[in-house]
Amino acid sequence: MLGGTMSAATQTASQSVPRVDKPSVLVVGAGLIGSSIAMQLAKKGCLVTIVEASAQPAAGASGKSWAWLNANRKQPAHYRDLNMHSMKLWAQYPDLAAFPGSLILNDKRTKDNAYPSSSLTPEQLKHEEPDLSDAACQGGARLYKPEGYAYPESAVRFFLQQAEQNGASVLYEHPVQSLETGTSSPHITGVVTPGKTLHADVVVVAAALGIPELTKPLGLLVPLTAKPCTVTVITKPLKPILKRIVVNDTIFIVQRRDGDVMISLYAGDDRPEEATEAVSKQVIQAAAVLVPELAEAQTQQVTAGLMPYPVDAHPIVGFTKEWPNLYVAVMHSGATLAPLMGKLVSEEIVNKQEQDLLAPYRLQRDFADLSHTY
């Protein structure tokens, strides 16, 4: 059960978890990052409350994500390795993720020897994926076998269930209007929601594009922008047509385990498009240029929205210098990084141990270096 009255099983789990010297934590945002952090904090014995503005989890960027699990084009090496580490953690959740590998069409980049891949000629590509069009195969491809995809909404629900089973509570339809500050020292005492102020020792803001609005009144500027509008269509189940994830410069296509096909592309606008039937048909027709069998596919679901994007493309994670008990967690590769972030962030909050893997991603870094954006 997500939210609502705590079940008997949850009460038992809550009572069995030691809470001595463990901080109480408010997590703002029930997406992939917030739910993963909440799950790990609850498992470590913290009293956790997840606060979500919408009536359901994964209602924001997470629910509109491609959920492509990859370390592709993610530089420098420390960022690539961070993603590769988290990809391996997804293997713990076989019901929530799969790893068929990715084909990047016409990928002429120099091979990264630290990231396994192999080059396919047009003929090899056509043999690998017979239902690709001849035009799609013309430039060949590079195969990245370790890559995969997640089911983002299912993952968020699972993480939240695990958190609840360890005593956490989830409050839906609780939009956070502001962060409450103490009067005697720079300290966040809680979050203000309509009709209720919630208090905790630590506040984690994992609200994606909603973060700057919350931190700006505190004098904290989180340099976050939005990736151009992403439109995602999920088709009704089809016969098997693709074995691998297929990606080019503008579109992402994967046939998932139950036969449905997820098609995602950037709409090229900084404003969300309406998720209409007409838009879904345009997306399907764009995909059919690469996979003709998709031309007659029927839409099961279509979503559109903006994705959070730190200005240097790298995560922003950690306690803030100005407000020592305020923790910020936002990133563009949230789907790939969610399992690892839950583990690392919970260690920093519970055991007060800074994690070396997170050192390059603090809010206090120099954002002037944009040489590694992608």
Side-chain angles (χ1 to χ4, degrees), residues 156-234:
V156 170
R157 291 183 184 277
F158 175 80
F159 294 160
L160 291 176
Q161 287 170 347
Q162 291 292 299
E164 286 191 304
Q165 288 172 13
N166 285 276
S169 58
V170 186
L171 302 178
Y172 293 107
E173 299 182 285
H174 276 66
V176 174
Q177 298 170 317
S178 63
L179 302 176
E180 184 185 70
T181 60
T183 56
S184 59
S185 63
H187 189 80
I188 305 298
T189 57
V191 302
V192 179
T193 69
K196 181 187 296 186
T197 298
L198 305 168
H199 298 98
D201 300 318
V202 175
V203 174
V204 178
V205 284
L209 290 170
I211 291 176
E213 184 179 350
L214 292 175
T215 61
K216 188 175 180 180
L218 305 176
L220 275 180
L221 298 181
V222 178
L224 189 65
T225 183
K227 201 77 170 175
C229 177
T230 296
V231 180
T232 298
V233 171
I234 298 176

Side-chain angles (χ1 to χ4, degrees), residues 92-276:
Q92 301 174 42
Y93 308 108
D95 292 337
L96 304 176
F99 292 88
S102 299
L103 290 164
I104 312 296
L105 303 182
N106 199 30
D107 187 352
K108 305 303 183 185
R109 293 169 297 157
T110 303
K111 180 178 179 179
D112 181 351
N113 290 327
Y115 192 55
S117 69
S118 56
S119 182
L120 301 183
T121 66
E123 295 75 21
Q124 290 171 324
L125 176 57
K126 188 69 174 179
H127 179 76
E128 182 76 19
E129 293 287 0
D131 285 308
L132 284 178
S133 67
D134 291 343
C137 295
Q138 190 172 11
R142 187 168 288 279
L143 172 60
Y144 296 86
K145 285 188 175 181
E147 296 184 354
Y149 63 90
Y151 290 88
E153 292 184 23
S154 297
V156 170
R157 291 183 184 277
F158 175 80
F159 294 160
L160 291 176
Q161 287 170 347
Q162 291 292 299
E164 286 191 304
Q165 288 172 13
N166 285 276
S169 58
V170 186
L171 302 178
Y172 293 107
E173 299 182 285
H174 276 66
V176 174
Q177 298 170 317
S178 63
L179 302 176
E180 184 185 70
T181 60
T183 56
S184 59
S185 63
H187 189 80
I188 305 298
T189 57
V191 302
V192 179
T193 69
K196 181 187 296 186
T197 298
L198 305 168
H199 298 98
D201 300 318
V202 175
V203 174
V204 178
V205 284
L209 290 170
I211 291 176
E213 184 179 350
L214 292 175
T215 61
K216 188 175 180 180
L218 305 176
L220 275 180
L221 298 181
V222 178
L224 189 65
T225 183
K227 201 77 170 175
C229 177
T230 296
V231 180
T232 298
V233 171
I234 298 176
T235 73
K236 292 182 179 179
L238 301 170
K239 68 177 184 179
I241 54 176
L242 289 174
K243 294 182 293 184
R244 311 282 192 183
I245 299 167
V246 175
V247 186
N248 68 11
D249 289 339
T250 60
I251 199 164
F252 170 97
I253 308 171
V254 59
Q255 186 166 30
R256 303 190 296 186
R257 282 187 291 231
D258 60 0
D260 65 14
V261 178
M262 174 185 277
I263 309 165
S264 296
L265 57 77
Y266 287 127
D269 196 334
D270 60 0
R271 299 183 305 274
E273 286 197 29
E274 293 184 24
T276 64

